[in-house]
Amino acid sequence: MASPVKPAVSVRGLHKAFGARTVLDGIDLEVEPGEFVALLGRSGCGKSTLLRILAGLDREVGGEVEVPGTVSIAFQQPRLLPWRKVWRNISLGLHKPDGRAVALKALEEVRLTDHADAWPLTLSGGEAQRVSLARALVREPDLLLLDEPFGALDALTRLAMHHLVEDLWTRHKPAVLLVTHDVDEALLLADRILVLDEGRVVATHHVGLPRPRRRASVVEQRTRVLADLGVDVEEAA
Ligand SMILES: Nc1ncnc2c1ncn2[C@@H]1O[C@H](COP(=O)(O)OP(=O)(O)O)[C@@H](O)[C@H]1O
Ligand SMILES: [Mg+2]
């Protein structure tokens, strides 16, 4: 009999404090292989802290954290090395003999092949973020962590990025944990939305809408998610 597939993320009773300040206070979280989960919550509620822990960048924690597969993380700022050409930013640390070919293939996926030999400082914000995505994908992650990757982009570029991420996810099917402030972004992309507050998961929404999704189709669920974030839509209108 085949053994059951391990979750991409398995967290039990995760606790994290900085000095006397508790930031994560008993988080339980499972993410299935290939599942797309969005994480919403106020600024400072511990979203980035959770992602850093899942990426193995912070191991001083209480509780159990299991992330069995390969992990890649992309941040709000693309964090490219300005003294390396685009393709070298992608192949950096891969230690593969055909680094350029691998980088070019990843650039093709984010539709940036023609920028392979460009310097990072010559890229637009959206292009730099696409390089950052290519760099994350080239490691063929089982778990892709995205920490507000579109937060600094204009609305139109954001929209294009949503399509790109959905497309990449459909083709590679990593588990994804996406941190965002944008409820529509979460509803358009995720299978499941978690709301984090005071160091705990206070609400879970299963989105369950057919894909590809359009803005109009998420309106109804938006009201309920906003309510969990403490926003009364009727009142705000
Ligand atoms: N290295 C650190 N040292 C001390 N406090 C930190 C550190 N990193 C984050 N914090 C604090 O932990 C809380 C959660 O931060 P963070 O996870 O970055 O929030 P979010 O990503 O949800 O905005 C904040 O109050 C922040 O100031
Ligand atoms: Mg953050």
Side-chain angles (χ1 to χ4, degrees):
M1 209 169 77
S3 61
V5 183
K6 271 196 170 186
V9 172
S10 186
V11 165
R12 289 270 166 278
L14 173 61
H15 188 271
K16 173 72 193 176
F18 292 107
R21 170 153 159 58
T22 295
V23 175
L24 300 175
D25 188 17
I27 301 272
D28 295 328
L29 170 65
E30 277 208 3
V31 180
E32 296 306 315
E35 189 185 15
F36 200 129
V37 176
L39 194 59
L40 290 171
R42 270 172 240 284
S43 199
C45 75
K47 305 180 297 293
S48 296
T49 302
L50 176 59
L51 257 58
R52 288 177 51 78
I53 292 168
L54 297 180
L57 299 172
D58 183 349
R59 296 182 192 273
E60 284 177 34
V61 300
E64 286 170 37
V65 177
E66 271 184 72
V67 181
T70 318
V71 187
S72 287
I73 185 162
F75 303 93
Q76 179 166 1
Q77 299 304 329
R79 302 191 181 185
L80 305 178
L81 300 177
W83 59 88
R84 304 230 186 224
K85 288 184 172 175
V86 161
W87 76 268
R88 282 202 188 271
N89 263 279
I90 293 171
S91 65
L92 201 74
L94 274 184
H95 307 298
K96 287 189 180 175
D98 52 346
R100 183 172 166 93
V102 173
L104 284 177
K105 187 167 170 289
L107 281 170
E108 193 181 326
E109 294 216 48
V110 298
R111 295 169 210 125
L112 268 183
T113 320
D114 49 344
H115 288 66
D117 291 300
W119 297 104
L121 290 176
T122 66
L123 303 177
S124 72
E127 287 165 349
Q129 203 49 278
R130 273 147 70 198
V131 176
S132 169
L133 272 182
R135 184 180 51 188
L137 277 174
V138 87
R139 282 154 182 80
E140 296 174 26
D142 300 300
L143 175 64
L144 178 61
L145 301 169
L146 302 173
D147 196 351
E148 302 189 49
F150 321 127
L153 304 177
D154 64 84
L156 284 178
T157 308
R158 248 177 124 95
L159 216 61
M161 290 295 283
H162 292 164
H163 290 301
L164 179 63
V165 164
E166 182 161 47
D167 185 42
L168 294 172
W169 173 69
T170 308
R171 266 188 282 144
H172 297 273
K173 276 289 170 144
V176 178
L177 195 54
L178 165 75
V179 170
T180 175
H181 282 292
D182 182 339
V183 173
D184 283 9
E185 184 168 295
L187 286 166
L188 285 166
L189 292 172
D191 299 313
R192 183 155 58 107
I193 298 176
L194 306 176
V195 179
L196 204 64
D197 191 31
E198 308 261 323
R200 291 173 169 274
V201 177
V202 294
T204 302
H205 290 262
H206 292 274
V207 181
L209 297 167
R211 299 171 189 273
R213 298 176 187 153
R214 293 291 167 261
R215 236 147 240 273
S217 63
V218 306
V219 172
E220 194 186 316
Q221 276 201 314
R222 182 199 296 148
T223 313
R224 277 179 268 146
V225 178
L226 283 171
D228 285 323
L229 287 163
V231 181
D232 184 335
V233 180
E234 306 272 291
E235 223 166 65

